[in-house]
Amino acid sequence: MATSLPRLTDDRLAILTQAYHDAVRAKRARSLAFVGLTIGLMLLSGWVAQVDLFKLIANFGNFFSYFDRILTFDSGPVVGQRVWTDPAEWFWGLKKWSLLLADTILIAYLGTALGSIGAFLLCFSAAANLMPSPWLRTGVKRLLEFCRTVPEIVFALVFIIAFGLGPIPGVLAIAIHTMGALGKLFSEVVENIDMKSVEGSVATGARFSQTVRFAVVPQVLSNFASYTLLRFEINVRGASVMGFVGAGGIGQDLIEAIRKFYYADVSALLLLIILTVTVIDLGTERLRHALISREERP
């Protein structure tokens, strides 16, 4: 009996070891099957979309050659030289472009402001923990889905037909898309709040608007502001594209330079847009972190 106990223990360890190896092999097999399925779906998607890999590889160098062209002067006394050798010639339209950049930022700002207001008003009705009516909740969710599913540039084209060229179509397009995107994010924030204060407010006989004002908004305001700042960053880039269809901003000069093959102007405009977006990103990032830390502070 004294010698059987270690043997039983060794047998049990062998069974557990075998079970562990079987589990590892099964997990590895599932992972390989998932990777294989993903690759298979990618190849199938490429075949259905008629993606020509040989054409892609053959013309890939044109991508880098274009950047080489936009970094070289193609006219004037400095033709053939790199653009950074003569900054004055490179940024010859800086005054005009700066005003267009300011228009782009204002379009993004106004569109973000209007969209965030709309999202704020609708998000509470889309939250499952606040809105008891499934019909109203579903209707609001579908409205928000429609607003964020239709691309901004499509909205801009529609509004250009209605209001003509200019910044108004861009503002309205960004506002509608922002309302849809922020409405979803805001409603998810509301659905994760602490319901104790809401239950206490309802127990005292508060109306829906009073419950939202005193029990919900104090819990979500910092996150709402953080998401709005993040959306503003995105909308500055979106407002630059709005100009492609005549909805105001610097995008209109950018697409004109691309169509007319003004390569140096393309690089100058791209650099101005990148620098502007970078500065805005850094500034709003600091504000978001400050808001989040304030929310987490006891």
Side-chain angles (χ1 to χ4, degrees), residues 10 23 58-59 82 111-112 119 131 145 204 215 217 219 244 262 268 270 274 290:
D10 292 341
N59 294 277
R82 292 299 185 184
T112 304
M131 176 51 59
E145 285 176 2
T204 61
V217 170
Q219 298 187 59
F244 285 18
Y262 297 157
L270 286 176
I274 292 171

Side-chain angles (χ1 to χ4, degrees), residues 223-239:
N223 281 323
F224 280 12
S226 178
Y227 279 129
T228 302
L229 290 172
L230 178 61
R231 191 68 204 180
F232 175 60
E233 299 173 14
I234 299 172
N235 286 342
V236 171
R237 293 185 283 269

Side-chain angles (χ1 to χ4, degrees), residues 176-195:
I176 292 177
H177 199 274
T178 297
M179 183 176 70
L182 286 182
K184 175 178 173 59
L185 295 174
F186 287 0
S187 65
E188 291 177 350
V189 172
V190 172
E191 288 177 346
N192 288 295
I193 63 172
D194 184 0
M195 291 297 293

